[in-house]
């Protein structure tokens, strides 16, 4: 099947490669010619001209956008006038599902079809395959299924879910790693929540490992002053844990084994003190949108919210609030702030 | 009534003054003679000798300890052998109520009485009076009531609680600012929870004020990169709020008026940017014990826990966890940490 | 000064009364004639006809809307065509500040002025006065200041903030209980955050009191089974606390005294077990908007978020998530859910 | 190697079977003869007499306890007098690591060795192997390594951690699924934190799935009253998501794939509405201890704490706090509780 790909950053480039390996015919477009060279050598047609790109695609065209969310509307404004009735535009980036709903309607008024695809898998997707969460019209999604099947991991070596195996379910693609989740926006909605969960999982591991790292607190000397809570049982905190080994052992047989743990074990083995990081953690939108959706729905998300807020806090955004706390303490109790220990 | 006071830091000294103003006869003891000078000028008898201190008190003696929690047991070890049957020891500091339960039993085995008093009021207590939460034997607490009544604020100008006023309740002292809460440890248990609540209240104000302070975010220039979530509606965040004025206006007629807000308004008016603080917030034990008690009871305390943890985080204790998050993000997505903006 | 009031529910009616007591001339409008009777007896002109209402007001008119947020736009659609250049519309209800920004622009295009006023004080405002947080054009707000001054508590018996008193600040009204906070939306933004803080404060007290209530857990008999964590030290939880008395004693001299505590003490004294409540806690929007604003600003609000989510949870909205937890536990550990104890 | 196993519930029985399959010689003891029958048929020696059990073991004996934490000390009191110098006692259950530290010392004074083993794997361990986290003396742990190797999963089909593979590390057993973590208590400390993380992971999935389940909120009819926040954009919440399929698709290629997700997909496929659960979630101690340890260390754990507290709340333990919130709302705003919708 033929697919046009716009946007050849790491994700778009890897996905094009995976598609071609699975025998699909790819036409690529990027404003930077050099980002297409490798793909052209592997057999893709490439052009820096959007018009030529469109002309190279057979109708009904299928155009996949793999772009930063902030530029999708700009590119659509140029692309849509070049397309013909029944052409399909797929947004595989990290768009807000609100925008998908709007765009679905706008493209429909031009006789075009819009499909939103939440894509998970990161830099490993090229080899491992991408988990695809898809929103749009049913028949259009079905039409594109060869593309989705090629990008997705397939059944692979992930064990079959027992209860699912016992019941017939011929048409279902969930166990191949791609799924039509619902109408416009459904794909990015599910991807958004996926990322919200991801924040929670990541925080759970990192908090737990931080407890292990500080299990030696009874071995450290402590200042005795009115501003420091004394450790009541230093004998309970005499452990020097080897975090890389602990992350590794949890990978086999434990209840908390996961792909994120696999990655954590790798990162810790490479650099046990994680000295190359400052600990300023970015958030790229989906975590925020997840919590906002939960608030709209009045669904409690204490864990997902806390995970999001830890990231805000990691970037110093709680500093003013903390100063207010110190100011209050001085006001009512005459407490003077204790400076950071010299490291 | 006569009272012996051991420990003449700010709290012990102020309380002694307040007692003498109310006509009580005070004997004071501290290892530093100079800390007793002022009080002696105001009429207290003072001595650096613990033996002399005890001999100056009429039996049954009432000895109030106003000491750092960490030294109470040490002082008790010296004091108890000097006391006689039916003497009373009062711990007015910030002891863990577990220790009160233990000490209550130990002193009983010596024929002595132990009373634990949670004391709230801070540096303002000298004038405003202290809120006293008391644990111990009923008749002993009653015997000491003249002391408690002098230290407490009394009815003062705090309006009478309507429903309470409607019912007769002659014997009750809660509306005078002191209360026998229960057996040994009850006073410090209630004070512990008081402080746990205090953490929550403080955090609520400081978070809210931090939101107001950042309501100008739409006026600031923003970087557009994949690691920064774009602000979708800068037009909604164009406010330069005057925090000292807002804290002030809330003091009158609003639902959130409180004494802590009064103090916050003062601190903000003095130094609106709170530039003299670093934002490293100490915690002095009670907040931790409150959350641990809640866990023992299986009582959910999301707000009190979050308030406690913000303090831990303010002191940099989340740093390693945050580094793990950054490491995970690099592993799965190739994300590189974005450095702090130059200020 | 003359003011027209639309919407005579409890808030609008009380505010009109307070204005008339302070000598202002009030014209009132409501679709239900009976809701105006009392006010007419106290001297207000009233009419069920919106046209007549407008005609009774001298130009430039000042019209205060005290309506449910959901109907403000509907009323404005009828009102605006009846108004003349330079007339002023004030929204004193609980509008979302986004709507204020929009309405401010829309009314300006009609030559009208819009003022948003966040109003705090509840049913007590009639006597205690209302805390007013105001957004709009500076000169319009100044023009209305006699109205604001009458509604606000004034300096009253709230002690002067020390640092503020030391500096001259003639023009400032914050210490009279009303404040011009900024341009359109600023009033409701500040009120929104006020309510967000309110949620946090309320949660802090309620969690703390819940800990006290369960301090008798060591006195209760416990089942010993694999699904129940044993209480390790029952001897630490032998307290039967009197919550009404404890709430009362904290009102005097403690760090956590506040108006909300005053109300809590009243409610607990009336009904110590709060048996007339189910514990399903509504939220009326501002708490949600506060957390959403914080997320937009990337300001951490663990306490305010947790307080909001407790309310969602109180209404059963976590039930499905909890069922997933139980299902997971059965899957990996064969754990069977333990039913609720018979009460 | 020979091992004695005391306690033949599901875990102890499965572990014994796994050991025998790996060629180890097992002697078993339980007070219920019938719980040993199957194992005896598979080749184990079994006896209801503790004395006989001890006599069947060759010195130095290795005795594994697989008992509810609450009875370990009782059994030890009977067992220890029967043992001889240099015998080894292993506690593989869910003991609190504080108890391990104490017991390690007590057994040492009898010339015995104590090893604590945190065991993860649940009902799947028999086939999948158990992840073992071990605390105790180095040479004793090494002596027992054939036992640990048989119980653990081994390298299995879990991919090798890349950075680890690149460095030689011959002696390390982490990648075989068992690990000597440190001295007495280290095994259960690491297992405790493992479970704390487990709580966080579970909550993250369940909250996310709850958001998906309620993404149809815009399709439901809503009451319009002052106690209900109106849904501002019903058009954003028109999705009827198929949760079993979504859980399934996430298992392949996504960032959030994990063993817990595998189990969740199974549970949801079997019963998409989870109608067989009430949602009362037990907690069995380790989650609490994790948070308490974090508090002792002053390590922030907002996510792990929130996950723990959701469980408390799921059992109705927030009810009284919620009633206080409703009471406050009635006091200041005259708000009346809105009853639960009829289902």
């Amino acid at each position: 099947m033929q697919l046009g790909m716009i946007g050849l950053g790491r994700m778009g480039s890897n996905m094009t490669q995976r598609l071609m390996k699975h025998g699909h015919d790819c036409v690529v477009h990027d404003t930077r010619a050099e980002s297409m060279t490798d793909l052209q050598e592997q057999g893709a047609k490439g052009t820096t001209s959007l018009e030529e790109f469109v002309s190279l695609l057979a109708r009904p065209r299928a155009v996949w956008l793999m772009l930063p969310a902030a530029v999708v509307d700009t590119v659509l404004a140029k692309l849509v006038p070049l397309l013909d009735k029944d052409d399909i535009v797929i947004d595989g980036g990290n768009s807000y599902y609100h925008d998908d709903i709007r765009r679905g309607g706008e493209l429909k008024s031009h006789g075009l079809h819009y499909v939103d695809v939440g894509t998970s898998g990161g830099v490993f997707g090229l080899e491992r395959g991408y988990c695809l969460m898809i929103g749009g019209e049913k028949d259009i999604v079905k039409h594109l299924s060869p593309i989705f099947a090629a990008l997705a991991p397939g059944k692979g070596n992930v064990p079959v879910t027992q209860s699912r195996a016992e019941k017939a379910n011929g048409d279902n693609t969930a166990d191949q790693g791609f799924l039509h989740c619902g109408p416009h926006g459904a794909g990015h909605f599910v991807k958004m929540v996926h990322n919200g969960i991801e924040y929670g999982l990541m925080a759970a591991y990192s908090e737990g490992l931080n407890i292990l790292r500080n299990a030696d607190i009874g071995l450290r000397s402590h200042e005795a002053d009115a501003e420091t809570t004394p450790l009541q049982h230093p004998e309970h905190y005499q452990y020097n844990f080897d975090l890389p080994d602990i992350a590794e052992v949890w990978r086999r047989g434990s209840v908390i084994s996961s792909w994120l743990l696999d990655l954590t074990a790798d990162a810790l083995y490479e650099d046990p003190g994680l000295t190359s990081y400052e600990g300023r953690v970015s958030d790229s939108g989906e975590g925020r949108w997840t919590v906002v959706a939960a608030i709209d729905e009045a669904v409690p998300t204490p864990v997902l919210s806390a995970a999001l807020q830890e990231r805000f806090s990691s970037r110093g955004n709680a500093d003013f609030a903390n100063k207010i706390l110190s100011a209050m303490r001085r006001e009512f109790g005459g407490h003077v702030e204790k400076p950071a220990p010299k490291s």
Side-chain angles (χ1 to χ4, degrees), chain A residues 277-290:
Chain A
Y277 299 95
E278 267 191 83
R280 295 179 58 87
V281 192
S282 293
D283 75 283
S284 52
E286 292 87 355
R288 300 184 185 194
W289 303 333
T290 300

Side-chain angles (χ1 to χ4, degrees), chain A residues 197-208 303 306-308 310-311:
Chain A
I197 292 173
E198 177 189 302
Y199 281 34
L201 303 182
M202 290 170 69
Y205 288 115
S206 66
E207 293 178 7
V303 159
L308 175 66
E310 279 183 300
R311 296 198 175 189

Side-chain angles (χ1 to χ4, degrees), chain A residues 24-65:
Chain A
H24 293 293
D25 171 27
C26 292
V27 182
V28 300
H29 167 69
D30 199 294
T31 51
R32 300 157 302 157
E34 67 277 17
S35 66
M36 297 184 289
T37 318
D38 281 359
L39 295 169
Q40 286 168 310
E41 284 170 10
Q42 293 171 50
K45 293 198 195 88
T47 167
T48 57
S49 152
L50 189 60
E51 288 76 7
E52 191 187 352
F53 169 79
V54 170
S55 72
L56 287 169
L57 292 167
R59 293 179 58 184
R61 301 179 184 94
V63 180
W64 188 295
L65 309 183

Side-chain angles (χ1 to χ4, degrees), chain A residues 63-323:
Chain A
V63 180
W64 188 295
L65 309 183
M66 208 64 205
L67 297 164
V71 303
V72 171
D73 280 322
T74 317
V75 171
L76 279 179
K78 292 179 195 157
L79 176 66
V80 165
L82 305 175
L83 296 179
D84 293 287
K85 190 166 178 301
D86 289 333
D87 285 353
I88 303 165
V89 178
I90 304 136
D91 179 4
N94 281 321
S95 286
Y96 195 15
Y97 79 97
H98 292 191
D99 293 324
D100 295 321
I101 295 173
R102 173 179 51 77
R103 288 176 196 145
E106 289 169 3
L107 266 68
K108 191 178 181 183
S109 72
H110 291 88
L112 302 173
H113 302 285
Y114 180 80
V115 176
D116 55 285
V117 181
T119 307
S120 181
V123 294
F124 289 79
L126 173 56
E127 295 217 353
R128 213 171 73 120
Y130 301 91
C131 177
L132 303 179
M133 297 146 263
I134 307 164
E137 299 151 85
K138 194 171 181 178
D139 54 336
I140 300 298
V141 172
K142 187 152 198 175
H143 170 73
L144 294 169
S145 59
I147 297 295
F148 297 139
L151 289 170
K155 299 214 179 205
N157 59 0
V158 177
V160 171
T161 294
Q162 191 183 346
S163 58
R164 185 174 283 263
E166 291 159 2
K167 307 186 192 177
N169 192 11
D171 203 31
N172 190 290
T173 63
D175 56 7
Q176 298 169 48
F178 68 101
L179 180 70
H180 180 212
C181 298
H184 295 315
H188 280 133
F189 193 106
V190 174
K191 174 58 161 48
M192 168 186 84
V193 172
H194 164 284
N195 282 33
I197 292 173
E198 177 189 302
Y199 281 34
L201 303 182
M202 290 170 69
Y205 288 115
S206 66
E207 293 178 7
L209 289 164
N210 200 11
I211 297 172
L212 291 176
R213 182 177 165 90
N214 285 283
D216 66 345
I217 195 169
L219 295 166
R220 303 181 211 155
S221 66
H222 283 274
E223 289 174 82
D225 59 52
E227 296 300 302
T228 306
T229 309
L231 181 63
Q232 297 192 54
H233 294 287
E235 72 275 19
H236 291 159
Y237 299 95
Q238 305 271 334
Y239 300 114
N240 283 303
F241 288 121
D242 183 313
L243 299 197
D245 275 358
I246 289 171
E248 186 67 29
V249 81
W250 285 343
R251 295 181 65 225
R252 286 176 173 78
S254 93
V255 172
I256 64 172
S257 63
S258 73
W259 191 58
L260 279 166
L261 179 63
D262 295 345
L263 300 179
T264 307
D266 188 52
L268 283 169
Y269 195 84
E270 257 186 84
D271 176 7
L274 300 176
T275 51
S276 59
Y277 299 95
E278 267 191 83
R280 295 179 58 87
V281 192
S282 293
D283 75 283
S284 52
E286 292 87 355
R288 300 184 185 194
W289 303 333
T290 300
V291 175
V292 171
I295 291 172
D296 277 346
E297 297 178 3
V299 163
T301 53
V303 159
L304 305 190
S305 300
L308 175 66
Q309 311 213 9
E310 279 183 300
R311 296 198 175 189
F312 295 161
S313 190
S314 79
R315 307 202 298 263
N317 297 0
D319 289 0
F320 186 71
N322 292 331
K323 289 180 180 186

